[in-house]
Amino acid sequence: MSYLVVLKKRPEDFKEHLMIVKIKKWEKHGKFAIGTLIEPINKDKYSLVETATQGILSENDLDDSPFPDDIDAEIPDLDITEQDIMARKEFDFRNKCIFTIDPATARDLDDACSVEVLGDDLYEVGVHIADVSHFVSPGTSVDDIARERTTSVYLVQRVIPMLPRKLCENLCSLNPGVDRFSFSVVWKMKGDGTVLSTKFGKSLINSCCKLHYEHAQDMIDDPNQIFEEGYLPPIYNGFTSKDLSQRINILHHIAKELRQKRKKSGSISIQQCKLKFSLNKTDGMPSGLGSYKSRESNKLIEEFMLKANGSVAEKLVEHYPDNAIIRRHVGPKKHVLEGTKKVFERMGIEVDCTSSYSMQEALNKLQLSPK
């Protein structure tokens, strides 16, 4: 008996079911679509939260199936050979003070930062990204699955990884105290963010610490703070909390300068509230909620990731002008700006919407206004 027949005869049985449906036809001016009921998402098999999750995955055609059992066999182990060291000699940063800054819950650490003082108001700043290409070759099962998934998917209660855990949580995670293959963007820049030179290369790093945003924020709030034993994560390679604090504050200063330059060039930053949930461990139901606070430590990392992306985009366009696929942030359309102005006017707020820069300036003043 088909699902449709059962649904017609016993509609109450499906009152709280989510159904997977294949749309076959939808008239241009029709209110309803014509389709086929494929199957229900079994509420007896899943909890309420998991049922809703399965509905979201199905609706967005996301694959959460486990990786094949034998997939780890085609992933090489971490083996840094003399040949690797010679090939990455110019970018062997294993003796540098490199560190990661991530949320406290992060398990896959895919980016790290570094900064060295070269002279008076002159710095070498690096962004180091895990080199997945060292372990994943084109045409392998890992590559094919990653191409299909295209990204890791972050849900409230779990992550659906793009890559097997052997890669994303181990070999390609920039864990502290261990050598890792990476790809680095290194700038020689002034304290005001002016870039004097940029170089790119496959690198070797050994992160000295896995910091959380809270730790980095503490160092920004009080650069001379002496931390109690055990408060910070382990620090490797002979570096100290003072070394980390000095570098984080240099990066913080440069990040503020870079942010100001972006704003002057017309970048709009609208901070939307991002919710976070605490879940009941028994049934996975939400037991509380709050909002993420974006602090200076978050903005520090954000700024240097943007800088790295921009530098890579410029390099791609320079060498592959006809083939480079880059993300383009077009300016807001005139009618959108005019519509935005009318919305503000209805609230009795005067905002100059003649350009993205003037609108950002107005929004900044509005944010600081006691009203």
Side-chain angles (χ1 to χ4, degrees):
M1 188 180 296
S2 70
Y3 289 118
L4 183 59
V5 173
V6 178
L7 180 59
K8 285 181 176 179
K9 287 187 175 181
R10 303 198 306 271
E12 288 298 314
D13 290 1
F14 294 85
K15 188 177 179 180
E16 296 182 359
H17 276 67
L18 289 175
M19 302 291 296
I20 297 176
V21 178
K22 182 179 181 181
I23 303 298
K24 289 188 171 181
K25 185 179 181 183
W26 200 326
E27 297 291 348
K28 186 175 181 180
H29 300 292
K31 291 184 177 180
F32 304 103
I34 298 172
T36 303
L37 296 175
I38 305 300
E39 62 177 327
I41 298 175
N42 192 340
K43 70 170 189 175
D44 297 323
K45 181 179 178 182
Y46 301 111
S47 66
L48 182 60
V49 170
E50 191 58 29
T51 298
T53 298
Q54 290 299 320
I56 292 169
L57 297 179
S58 297
E59 183 179 1
N60 293 279
D61 195 25
L62 297 172
D63 180 12
D64 71 331
S65 60
F67 288 94
D69 293 335
D70 59 350
I71 200 163
D72 282 357
E74 70 175 42
I75 300 172
D77 293 324
L78 181 68
D79 182 22
I80 299 177
T81 64
E82 285 298 321
Q83 186 177 357
D84 293 323
I85 294 171
M86 290 305 297
R88 301 178 186 230
K89 186 176 181 180
E90 184 185 352
F91 291 86
D92 189 346
F93 300 127
R94 288 176 293 174
N95 64 337
K96 300 286 187 182
C97 183
I98 295 176
F99 47 88
T100 59
I101 305 176
D102 289 280
T105 55
R107 294 163 69 180
D108 51 334
L109 315 177
D110 52 12
D111 56 75
C113 293
S114 65
V115 60
E116 298 293 333
V117 179
L118 299 179
D120 185 27
D121 195 41
L122 186 62
Y123 305 93
E124 181 183 83
V125 179
V127 167
H128 316 275
I129 308 297
D131 184 6
V132 180
S133 66
H134 181 83
F135 300 97
V136 181
S137 301
T140 59
S141 299
V142 179
D143 182 49
D144 292 341
I145 293 173
R147 282 170 179 267
E148 286 293 321
R149 297 194 177 195
T150 70
T151 182
S152 294
V153 178
Y154 292 83
L155 302 166
V156 172
Q157 81 282 27
R158 63 186 175 102
V159 178
I160 302 171
M162 180 180 74
L163 297 166
R165 297 198 182 279
K166 180 179 178 180
L167 286 173
C168 63
E169 292 182 10
N170 185 9
L171 300 178
C172 295
S173 183
L174 305 180
N175 300 327
V178 290
D179 292 348
R180 287 289 183 259
F181 290 100
S182 52
F183 198 99
S184 299
V185 184
V186 181
W187 305 278
K188 185 183 289 185
M189 62 168 62
K190 292 183 178 180
D192 65 356
T194 301
V195 175
L196 303 177
S197 65
T198 308
K199 60 182 181 180
F200 307 83
K202 291 196 169 190
S203 54
L204 292 169
I205 69 167
N206 189 310
S207 170
C208 71
C209 194
K210 174 188 175 182
L211 292 169
H212 303 159
Y213 284 118
E214 292 79 6
H215 300 136
Q217 189 61 47
D218 287 340
M219 294 175 180
I220 291 170
D221 293 338
D222 183 359
N224 298 314
Q225 181 175 353
I226 298 174
F227 295 95
E228 292 182 9
E229 187 176 348
Y231 175 73
L232 293 175
I235 302 174
Y236 298 86
N237 307 332
F239 295 107
T240 65
S241 60
K242 185 177 179 181
D243 295 321
L244 290 169
S245 185
Q246 287 175 341
R247 286 164 171 80
I248 285 171
N249 278 281
I250 292 171
L251 291 174
H252 171 54
H253 171 77
I254 298 174
K256 288 194 296 182
E257 296 290 335
L258 291 171
R259 194 178 310 122
Q260 192 59 32
K261 287 184 177 184
R262 279 198 305 108
K263 287 180 179 179
K264 285 183 179 178
S265 68
S267 172
I268 293 182
S269 176
I270 299 175
Q271 299 295 329
Q272 293 180 311
C273 180
K274 185 179 179 183
L275 294 177
K276 61 179 179 180
F277 296 88
S278 52
L279 305 177
N280 188 309
K281 292 182 179 179
T282 306
D283 57 10
M285 291 293 289
S287 57
L289 64 87
S291 59
Y292 286 101
K293 291 183 180 179
S294 181
R295 292 176 283 192
E296 292 301 313
S297 55
N298 299 80
K299 293 175 183 177
L300 183 161
I301 294 300
E302 177 186 344
E303 208 58 52
F304 283 106
M305 293 306 115
L306 285 171
K307 189 65 180 173
N309 286 341
S311 295
V312 170
E314 289 170 1
K315 188 71 171 176
L316 288 172
V317 171
E318 177 188 345
H319 289 274
Y320 304 100
D322 299 323
N323 304 98
I325 300 174
I326 60 175
R327 183 166 58 185
R328 179 170 175 245
H329 294 278
V330 296
K333 295 178 181 177
K334 185 179 178 181
H335 74 273
V336 174
L337 290 174
E338 290 173 350
T340 303
K341 184 176 182 180
K342 289 177 182 178
V343 171
F344 281 114
E345 286 175 346
R346 286 198 293 270
M347 295 187 289
I349 301 170
E350 247 186 76
V351 174
D352 181 0
C353 293
T354 54
S355 69
S356 56
Y357 175 71
S358 63
M359 188 163 75
Q360 182 65 62
E361 285 294 293
L363 290 172
N364 289 343
K365 291 177 183 176
L366 187 62
Q367 189 175 18
L368 296 171
S369 171
K371 296 180 181 179

